CSV table of all heavy atoms in Angstrom, one decimal:
chain,number,residue,atom,x,y,z
N,4,VAL,N,52.7,149.5,125.1
N,4,VAL,CA,54.0,150.0,125.6
N,4,VAL,C,53.9,149.8,127.2
N,4,VAL,O,52.8,150.1,127.8
N,4,VAL,CB,54.2,151.5,125.3
N,4,VAL,CG1,55.5,152.0,126.0
N,4,VAL,CG2,54.2,151.7,123.8
N,5,GLU,N,54.9,149.3,127.7
N,5,GLU,CA,55.0,149.1,129.1
N,5,GLU,C,55.1,150.3,129.9
N,5,GLU,O,55.8,151.3,129.6
N,5,GLU,CB,56.3,148.3,129.4
N,5,GLU,CG,56.4,147.8,130.9
N,5,GLU,CD,55.5,146.7,131.2
N,5,GLU,OE1,55.0,145.9,130.3
N,5,GLU,OE2,55.1,146.6,132.4
N,6,PRO,N,54.1,150.6,130.8
N,6,PRO,CA,54.1,151.8,131.6
N,6,PRO,C,55.4,152.0,132.5
N,6,PRO,O,56.1,151.0,132.8
N,6,PRO,CB,53.0,151.7,132.6
N,6,PRO,CG,52.1,150.6,132.0
N,6,PRO,CD,53.1,149.7,131.3
N,7,VAL,N,55.8,153.2,132.7
N,7,VAL,CA,56.9,153.5,133.6
N,7,VAL,C,56.6,152.8,135.0
N,7,VAL,O,55.5,152.9,135.5
N,7,VAL,CB,57.1,155.0,133.8
N,7,VAL,CG1,58.2,155.3,134.8
N,7,VAL,CG2,57.4,155.6,132.5
N,8,ALA,N,57.6,152.1,135.5
N,8,ALA,CA,57.5,151.5,136.8
N,8,ALA,C,57.0,152.4,137.9
N,8,ALA,O,57.3,153.5,137.9
N,8,ALA,CB,58.8,150.8,137.2
N,9,GLY,N,56.2,151.8,138.9
N,9,GLY,CA,55.6,152.7,139.9
N,9,GLY,C,56.6,153.6,140.6
N,9,GLY,O,56.3,154.7,140.8
N,10,TRP,N,57.8,153.1,141.0
N,10,TRP,CA,58.7,153.9,141.7
N,10,TRP,C,59.5,154.9,140.9
N,10,TRP,O,59.9,155.9,141.4
N,10,TRP,CB,59.8,153.1,142.5
N,10,TRP,CG,60.7,152.3,141.5
N,10,TRP,CD1,60.5,151.1,140.9
N,10,TRP,CD2,61.9,152.7,141.0
N,10,TRP,NE1,61.5,150.7,140.1
N,10,TRP,CE2,62.5,151.7,140.2
N,10,TRP,CE3,62.7,153.8,141.3
N,10,TRP,CZ2,63.7,151.8,139.6
N,10,TRP,CZ3,63.9,153.9,140.7
N,10,TRP,CH2,64.4,152.9,139.8
N,11,LYS,N,59.4,154.7,139.6
N,11,LYS,CA,60.1,155.7,138.6
N,11,LYS,C,59.0,156.6,138.1
N,11,LYS,O,59.3,157.5,137.2
N,11,LYS,CB,60.7,155.0,137.5
N,11,LYS,CG,62.0,154.3,137.9
N,11,LYS,CD,62.6,153.4,136.7
N,11,LYS,CE,63.3,154.4,135.8
N,11,LYS,NZ,64.0,153.6,134.7
N,12,SER,N,57.7,156.5,138.4
N,12,SER,CA,56.7,157.3,137.9
N,12,SER,C,57.0,158.7,138.4
N,12,SER,O,57.3,158.9,139.5
N,12,SER,CB,55.4,156.8,138.4
N,12,SER,OG,54.3,157.7,138.0
N,13,PRO,N,56.7,159.8,137.5
N,13,PRO,CA,57.0,161.1,137.9
N,13,PRO,C,56.1,161.6,139.1
N,13,PRO,O,56.5,162.5,139.8
N,13,PRO,CB,56.4,161.9,136.7
N,13,PRO,CG,56.7,160.9,135.5
N,13,PRO,CD,56.3,159.6,136.1
N,14,SER,N,55.0,160.9,139.4
N,14,SER,CA,54.3,161.3,140.7
N,14,SER,C,54.7,160.5,141.9
N,14,SER,O,54.2,160.8,143.0
N,14,SER,CB,52.8,161.0,140.4
N,14,SER,OG,52.6,159.7,140.1
N,15,SER,N,55.7,159.7,141.8
N,15,SER,CA,56.2,158.9,143.0
N,15,SER,C,57.0,159.8,143.9
N,15,SER,O,57.7,160.7,143.5
N,15,SER,CB,57.0,157.7,142.6
N,15,SER,OG,58.3,158.0,142.1
N,16,ILE,N,57.2,159.4,145.2
N,16,ILE,CA,58.1,160.1,146.1
N,16,ILE,C,59.5,160.1,145.7
N,16,ILE,O,60.2,161.0,146.0
N,16,ILE,CB,57.8,159.5,147.5
N,16,ILE,CG1,58.4,160.4,148.6
N,16,ILE,CG2,58.3,158.1,147.8
N,16,ILE,CD1,57.7,161.8,148.8
N,17,VAL,N,59.9,159.0,145.1
N,17,VAL,CA,61.3,158.8,144.7
N,17,VAL,C,61.7,159.9,143.6
N,17,VAL,O,62.7,160.6,143.7
N,17,VAL,CB,61.6,157.5,144.1
N,17,VAL,CG1,63.0,157.3,143.4
N,17,VAL,CG2,61.5,156.3,145.2
N,18,MET,N,60.7,160.0,142.7
N,18,MET,CA,61.0,161.1,141.6
N,18,MET,C,60.7,162.5,142.0
N,18,MET,O,61.3,163.4,141.5
N,18,MET,CB,60.1,160.7,140.3
N,18,MET,CG,60.5,159.3,139.8
N,18,MET,SD,62.3,159.1,139.6
N,18,MET,CE,62.6,159.9,138.1
N,19,HIS,N,60.0,162.6,143.1
N,19,HIS,CA,59.8,163.9,143.7
N,19,HIS,C,61.2,164.3,144.3
N,19,HIS,O,61.6,165.5,144.2
N,19,HIS,CB,58.8,163.8,144.8
N,19,HIS,CG,58.6,165.2,145.6
N,19,HIS,ND1,57.9,166.2,144.9
N,19,HIS,CD2,58.9,165.5,146.8
N,19,HIS,CE1,58.0,167.3,145.8
N,19,HIS,NE2,58.5,166.9,146.9
N,20,GLY,N,61.9,163.4,145.0
N,20,GLY,CA,63.2,163.6,145.4
N,20,GLY,C,64.2,163.8,144.3
N,20,GLY,O,65.0,164.8,144.5
N,21,MET,N,64.1,163.2,143.3
N,21,MET,CA,64.9,163.4,142.1
N,21,MET,C,64.8,164.8,141.5
N,21,MET,O,65.7,165.5,141.2
N,21,MET,CB,64.7,162.4,141.0
N,21,MET,CG,65.6,162.5,139.8
N,21,MET,SD,67.3,162.1,140.2
N,21,MET,CE,67.1,160.2,140.4
N,22,ALA,N,63.4,165.3,141.5
N,22,ALA,CA,63.2,166.6,141.1
N,22,ALA,C,63.8,167.6,141.9
N,22,ALA,O,64.4,168.7,141.5
N,22,ALA,CB,61.6,166.9,141.1
N,23,GLY,N,63.9,167.4,143.3
N,23,GLY,CA,64.6,168.3,144.2
N,23,GLY,C,66.1,168.3,144.0
N,23,GLY,O,66.7,169.4,144.1
N,24,LEU,N,66.7,167.2,143.7
N,24,LEU,CA,68.1,167.1,143.4
N,24,LEU,C,68.5,168.0,142.2
N,24,LEU,O,69.4,168.7,142.1
N,24,LEU,CB,68.5,165.7,143.2
N,24,LEU,CG,68.8,164.9,144.5
N,24,LEU,CD1,69.1,163.5,144.1
N,24,LEU,CD2,69.7,165.6,145.4
N,25,PHE,N,67.7,167.8,141.1
N,25,PHE,CA,67.9,168.5,139.8
N,25,PHE,C,67.7,170.1,140.1
N,25,PHE,O,68.4,170.8,139.6
N,25,PHE,CB,66.9,168.1,138.7
N,25,PHE,CG,67.4,166.9,138.0
N,25,PHE,CD1,67.6,165.7,138.5
N,25,PHE,CD2,67.7,167.0,136.6
N,25,PHE,CE1,68.1,164.6,137.8
N,25,PHE,CE2,68.1,166.0,135.9
N,25,PHE,CZ,68.3,164.7,136.5
N,26,HIS,N,66.7,170.4,140.9
N,26,HIS,CA,66.4,171.7,141.2
N,26,HIS,C,67.6,172.4,142.1
N,26,HIS,O,68.1,173.5,141.8
N,26,HIS,CB,65.1,171.9,142.0
N,26,HIS,CG,64.7,173.3,142.2
N,26,HIS,ND1,64.3,174.1,141.3
N,26,HIS,CD2,64.7,174.1,143.3
N,26,HIS,CE1,64.0,175.3,141.7
N,26,HIS,NE2,64.3,175.3,143.0
N,27,PHE,N,68.1,171.6,143.0
N,27,PHE,CA,69.2,172.0,143.8
N,27,PHE,C,70.5,172.1,142.9
N,27,PHE,O,71.2,173.1,143.2
N,27,PHE,CB,69.5,170.9,144.9
N,27,PHE,CG,70.7,171.2,145.8
N,27,PHE,CD1,70.5,172.3,146.7
N,27,PHE,CD2,71.8,170.5,145.9
N,27,PHE,CE1,71.5,172.6,147.6
N,27,PHE,CE2,72.8,170.8,146.7
N,27,PHE,CZ,72.6,171.8,147.6
N,28,SER,N,70.7,171.3,141.9
N,28,SER,CA,71.9,171.4,141.1
N,28,SER,C,71.8,172.7,140.2
N,28,SER,O,72.8,173.3,140.0
N,28,SER,CB,72.0,170.2,140.2
N,28,SER,OG,71.0,170.2,139.2
N,29,GLY,N,70.5,173.1,139.9
N,29,GLY,CA,70.4,174.4,139.2
N,29,GLY,C,70.7,175.6,140.1
N,29,GLY,O,71.3,176.5,139.6
N,30,TRP,N,70.4,175.4,141.3
N,30,TRP,CA,70.6,176.5,142.3
N,30,TRP,C,72.2,176.6,142.4
N,30,TRP,O,72.7,177.7,142.5
N,30,TRP,CB,69.9,176.1,143.6
N,30,TRP,CG,70.1,177.2,144.7
N,30,TRP,CD1,69.5,178.4,144.7
N,30,TRP,CD2,70.8,177.0,145.9
N,30,TRP,NE1,69.8,179.0,145.8
N,30,TRP,CE2,70.6,178.2,146.7
N,30,TRP,CE3,71.5,176.0,146.5
N,30,TRP,CZ2,71.2,178.4,147.9
N,30,TRP,CZ3,72.1,176.2,147.7
N,30,TRP,CH2,71.9,177.4,148.4
N,31,ILE,N,72.8,175.4,142.6
N,31,ILE,CA,74.3,175.4,142.7
N,31,ILE,C,75.0,176.1,141.4
N,31,ILE,O,75.9,176.9,141.6
N,31,ILE,CB,74.9,174.1,143.0
N,31,ILE,CG1,74.5,173.6,144.3
N,31,ILE,CG2,76.4,174.0,142.7
N,31,ILE,CD1,74.9,172.1,144.6
N,32,ARG,N,74.4,175.7,140.3
N,32,ARG,CA,75.0,176.4,139.1
N,32,ARG,C,74.8,177.9,139.1
N,32,ARG,O,75.7,178.7,138.7
N,32,ARG,CB,74.3,175.7,137.9
N,32,ARG,CG,74.9,176.2,136.5
N,32,ARG,CD,74.3,175.5,135.3
N,32,ARG,NE,72.9,175.6,135.2
N,32,ARG,CZ,72.1,174.6,135.2
N,32,ARG,NH1,72.6,173.4,135.1
N,32,ARG,NH2,70.8,174.8,135.1
N,33,GLN,N,73.7,178.4,139.5
N,33,GLN,CA,73.5,179.9,139.7
N,33,GLN,C,74.4,180.5,140.6
N,33,GLN,O,75.0,181.6,140.3
N,33,GLN,CB,72.0,180.2,140.1
N,33,GLN,CG,70.9,179.9,139.1
N,33,GLN,CD,69.5,180.1,139.6
N,33,GLN,OE1,69.3,180.1,140.8
N,33,GLN,NE2,68.6,180.3,138.6
N,34,ILE,N,74.7,179.8,141.8
N,34,ILE,CA,75.7,180.4,142.7
N,34,ILE,C,77.0,180.5,142.1
N,34,ILE,O,77.8,181.4,142.2
N,34,ILE,CB,75.7,179.6,144.0
N,34,ILE,CG1,74.4,179.8,144.8
N,34,ILE,CG2,76.9,179.9,144.9
N,34,ILE,CD1,74.2,178.9,146.0
N,35,HIS,N,77.4,179.3,141.4
N,35,HIS,CA,78.7,179.3,140.7
N,35,HIS,C,78.8,180.4,139.7
N,35,HIS,O,79.9,181.1,139.6
N,35,HIS,CB,78.9,177.9,140.1
N,35,HIS,CG,80.1,177.8,139.2
N,35,HIS,ND1,81.4,177.7,139.7
N,35,HIS,CD2,80.3,177.8,137.9
N,35,HIS,CE1,82.3,177.7,138.7
N,35,HIS,NE2,81.6,177.8,137.7
N,36,ASN,N,77.8,180.6,138.8
N,36,ASN,CA,77.8,181.7,137.8
N,36,ASN,C,77.9,183.0,138.5
N,36,ASN,O,78.5,184.0,138.0
N,36,ASN,CB,76.5,181.6,137.0
N,36,ASN,CG,76.5,180.4,136.0
N,36,ASN,OD1,77.6,179.9,135.8
N,36,ASN,ND2,75.5,180.0,135.6
N,37,TYR,N,77.2,183.3,139.6
N,37,TYR,CA,77.3,184.5,140.4
N,37,TYR,C,78.8,184.8,140.8
N,37,TYR,O,79.3,185.9,140.7
N,37,TYR,CB,76.3,184.5,141.5
N,37,TYR,CG,76.3,185.8,142.3
N,37,TYR,CD1,75.8,187.0,141.9
N,37,TYR,CD2,77.1,185.8,143.6
N,37,TYR,CE1,76.0,188.1,142.7
N,37,TYR,CE2,77.1,187.0,144.3
N,37,TYR,CZ,76.5,188.1,144.0
N,37,TYR,OH,76.7,189.2,144.7
N,38,LEU,N,79.3,183.7,141.4
N,38,LEU,CA,80.7,183.9,142.0
N,38,LEU,C,81.7,184.2,140.8
N,38,LEU,O,82.6,185.0,141.0
N,38,LEU,CB,81.1,182.6,142.7
N,38,LEU,CG,80.4,182.4,144.0
N,38,LEU,CD1,80.8,181.1,144.6
N,38,LEU,CD2,80.7,183.5,145.0
N,39,THR,N,81.6,183.4,139.7
N,39,THR,CA,82.5,183.6,138.6
N,39,THR,C,82.2,184.7,137.7
N,39,THR,O,83.2,185.4,137.3
N,39,THR,CB,82.7,182.3,137.8
N,39,THR,OG1,81.4,182.0,137.3
N,39,THR,CG2,83.3,181.2,138.7
N,40,GLY,N,81.0,184.9,137.3
N,40,GLY,CA,80.5,185.9,136.4
N,40,GLY,C,80.4,187.3,136.9
N,40,GLY,O,81.0,188.3,136.5
N,41,THR,N,79.6,187.5,138.0
N,41,THR,CA,79.3,188.7,138.6
N,41,THR,C,80.4,189.2,139.5
N,41,THR,O,80.8,190.4,139.5
N,41,THR,CB,78.0,188.6,139.4
N,41,THR,OG1,76.9,188.1,138.6
N,41,THR,CG2,77.5,190.0,139.9
N,42,LEU,N,80.9,188.4,140.4
N,42,LEU,CA,81.9,188.8,141.4
N,42,LEU,C,83.3,188.7,140.7
N,42,LEU,O,84.3,189.2,141.4
N,42,LEU,CB,81.8,188.0,142.7
N,42,LEU,CG,80.5,188.2,143.5
N,42,LEU,CD1,80.5,187.4,144.8
N,42,LEU,CD2,80.3,189.6,143.8
N,43,GLY,N,83.5,188.0,139.6
N,43,GLY,CA,84.7,187.8,139.0
N,43,GLY,C,85.8,186.8,139.7
N,43,GLY,O,87.0,187.0,139.4
N,44,PHE,N,85.3,186.0,140.5
N,44,PHE,CA,86.2,185.0,141.1
N,44,PHE,C,86.7,184.0,140.1
N,44,PHE,O,86.0,183.7,139.2
N,44,PHE,CB,85.5,184.2,142.3
N,44,PHE,CG,85.3,185.1,143.5
N,44,PHE,CD1,84.3,184.7,144.4
N,44,PHE,CD2,86.0,186.2,143.9
N,44,PHE,CE1,84.0,185.4,145.6
N,44,PHE,CE2,85.7,186.9,145.0
N,44,PHE,CZ,84.7,186.5,145.8
């Protein structure tokens, strides 16, 4: 099986940035849930 390309490897700097974006999107979802669920907006 062909290995994952170097720049797409989970240990690469590119995928480190991608992890940050996914983590940031989770943080945004939590804020949205807080605004709509807890505060009732």
